[in-house]
Amino acid sequence: MFFTCGPNEAMVVSGFCRSPPVMVAGGRVFVLPCIQQIQRISLNTLTLNVKSEKVYTRHGVPISVTGIAQVKIQGQNKEMLAAACQMFLGKTEAEIAHIALETLEGHQRAIMAHMTVEEIYKDRQKFSEQVFKVASSDLVNMGISVVSYTLKDIHDDQDYLHSLGKARTAQVQKDARIGEAEAKRDAGIREAKAKQEKVSAQYLSEIEMAKAQRDYELKKAAYDIEVNTRRAQADLAYQLQVAKTKQQIEEQRVQVQVVERAQQVAVQEQEIARREKELEARVRKPAEAERYKLERLAEAEKSQLIMQAEAEAASVRMRGEAEAFAIGARARAEAEQMAKKAEAFQLYQEAAQLDMLLEKLPQVAEEISGPLTSANKITLVSSGSGTMGAAKVTGEVLDILTRLPESVERLTGVNHKPLRTA
């Protein structure tokens, strides 16, 4: 029987005694076998330098090949270990290595004879795999497993490999030059494409940025327009409401003033009527009564015109404050004013015209006598008849005033008629 006693060697035990000795110790009985012989076999990995000198290949070209193989006796497999014990038991490690080397070298030479130099030279992996496969199938029967095989060197004495290398070198150099040219061409093309793509990407990026900027500005403009519109609408609504309120206040104020003016006019008219009746009752002479009445009427008209002028001035001032929002009120005020003026002129007719004329006569007299008042010295020339001195100057002014109604009638067409006595 045999058994493995370590990772690097196997120990084989053979032979037993028919009556083994018995040993008693501590109340126990031990049977000791009688060992006759112990043999060991190495399980170390062996490195073999497999050389095949001047082997003719398939085309008759002699070459030399050197390979490196790693082999060992497989101790984990009992069947292979048993075969190895039968083959190599009692042999040294060198003898086992020599047997494995001869086997590998024979298979290596056989594979070289079936391949061409080019196949071995160009495809070393294929050659190594074939040697490994064939040698492993043979050595496994001896209990030896091939761990690895590598083709180390190929050479020949006929410079065949050198020539093949030159041709291959030339081809490689040619391919290298072609490859380099193609690589440069492809690199140039790729560089141009890359530049083009870069420029295109840059333009696209700028376009997208411009689009984004445009969209942002459009949206911002739309938001600004909406905000400004809402703000303007709010401002206009506020201004419109303020204007409406001012207009309503102004209309109420004007209405109050109109009512007040109407009441004042009514009171004045009543006062004028009362005074007229009083004049009719008390004045003896019709001329004096008529003159007195005209004076009162002129004063009343004057007061009425003054009040109307004040009302108009107030209306104009209020129109300046209200601007366009008080146009309606101003129009109504002016219409009422014109209506009152028309009613007053229709009511008094000649008296009103006379009152206006009498009102302007002092101004006319002032304008006529103005140059005389500013003169430092006056020289009078007389023909010998009529008054002399200051009375002459006064008479000239009064003569101009006496002719004034005729001049007004010629200029305006207004015909002054004597007042009718009441």
Side-chain angles (χ1 to χ4, degrees), residues 20-301:
V22 178
M23 182 180 65
V24 178
R28 295 181 181 181
V29 178
F30 297 93
V31 179
L32 300 176
C34 182
I35 302 175
Q36 294 181 351
Q37 185 178 8
I38 297 176
Q39 294 180 330
R40 289 179 176 84
I41 185 171
S42 176
L43 300 181
N44 293 325
T45 301
L46 304 177
T47 301
L48 305 178
N49 191 5
V50 185
K51 292 184 179 181
S52 299
E53 298 289 343
K54 297 180 181 180
V55 179
Y56 287 92
T57 60
R58 190 172 65 185
H59 291 166
V61 179
I63 61 173
S64 298
V65 172
T66 301
I68 301 297
Q70 303 288 336
V71 299
K72 69 174 293 184
I73 295 174
Q74 188 59 258
Q76 302 298 326
N77 191 321
K78 292 183 179 181
E79 294 179 357
M80 293 183 65
L81 183 58
C85 289
Q86 293 177 2
M87 291 288 296
F88 306 115
L89 192 61
K91 297 183 181 298
T92 62
E93 187 174 306
E95 291 175 340
I96 297 172
H98 179 73
I99 293 172
L101 177 61
E102 291 294 332
T103 303
L104 280 169
E105 200 270 337
H107 290 300
Q108 181 173 280
R109 294 177 67 89
I111 293 172
M112 290 172 60
H114 288 84
M115 296 181 65
T116 63
V117 178
E118 288 81 1
E119 290 175 347
I120 299 172
Y121 182 78
K122 294 179 180 179
D123 196 351
R124 296 191 177 194
Q125 182 65 29
K126 179 180 178 181
F127 177 80
S128 298
E129 290 177 355
Q130 290 186 7
V131 173
F132 178 84
K133 181 179 179 182
V134 175
S136 295
S137 62
D138 194 8
L139 290 174
V140 73
N141 296 324
M142 301 179 186
I144 299 175
S145 64
V146 180
V147 179
S148 66
Y149 173 85
T150 305
L151 179 59
K152 180 181 178 180
D153 181 44
I154 303 174
H155 64 277
D156 69 310
D157 298 335
Q158 308 296 325
D159 290 336
Y160 183 87
L161 292 174
H162 181 70
S163 301
L164 185 64
K166 285 185 177 180
R168 180 58 183 168
T169 302
Q171 182 66 32
V172 169
Q173 292 177 353
K174 177 182 177 182
D175 294 340
R177 289 192 296 270
I178 294 173
E180 183 180 1
E182 291 178 351
K184 290 182 178 179
R185 178 199 64 192
D186 295 339
I189 294 173
R190 287 194 295 270
E191 184 178 1
K193 288 183 178 179
K195 289 182 179 179
Q196 183 178 1
E197 291 175 355
K198 178 181 178 182
V199 173
S200 300
Q202 183 177 359
Y203 289 159
L204 290 175
S205 176
E206 292 177 356
I207 291 172
E208 292 298 328
M209 291 176 61
K211 287 182 179 179
Q213 183 68 22
R214 179 199 63 187
D215 294 340
Y216 167 75
E217 292 179 355
L218 290 176
K219 289 181 180 179
K220 185 176 182 300
Y223 294 152
D224 292 341
I225 291 173
E226 184 177 357
V227 171
N228 293 332
T229 302
R230 297 290 178 83
R231 186 179 299 169
Q233 289 176 353
D235 294 341
L236 290 176
Y238 173 76
Q239 294 178 4
L240 182 60
Q241 186 62 35
V242 172
K244 287 182 179 178
T245 304
K246 288 183 178 180
Q247 183 177 358
Q248 292 176 357
I249 296 173
E250 188 64 25
E251 289 178 354
Q252 293 177 0
R253 184 185 300 173
V254 171
Q255 289 177 0
V256 171
Q257 291 179 355
V258 169
V259 172
E260 290 178 355
R261 297 294 185 271
Q263 291 177 356
Q264 291 177 2
V265 171
V267 171
Q268 290 178 0
E269 289 178 352
Q270 293 175 1
E271 181 67 20
I272 290 172
R274 187 186 65 78
R275 289 182 181 183
E276 286 180 353
K277 291 180 181 179
E278 185 178 357
L279 286 174
E280 289 177 358
R282 293 183 180 182
V283 177
R284 299 176 182 178
K285 298 181 181 180
E288 292 180 357
E290 185 70 19
R291 179 179 61 80
Y292 189 76
K293 184 180 72 172
L294 290 175
E295 289 178 356
R296 301 282 79 75
L297 289 174
E299 290 179 359
E301 180 66 19

Side-chain angles (χ1 to χ4, degrees), residues 349-350 353-354 357 404-417:
Q349 294 180 355
E350 294 179 356
Q353 295 177 7
L354 180 60
L357 181 61
L404 184 60
E406 298 178 358
S407 300
V408 172
E409 181 180 356
R410 289 194 300 268
L411 293 174
T412 63
V414 179
N415 185 12
H416 172 67
K417 296 180 181 181

Side-chain angles (χ1 to χ4, degrees), residues 354-370:
L354 180 60
D355 180 72
M356 292 177 64
L357 181 61
L358 292 176
E359 182 182 359
K360 298 299 179 181
L361 279 177
Q363 297 180 7
V364 175
E366 183 180 357
E367 294 297 330
I368 292 173
S369 61

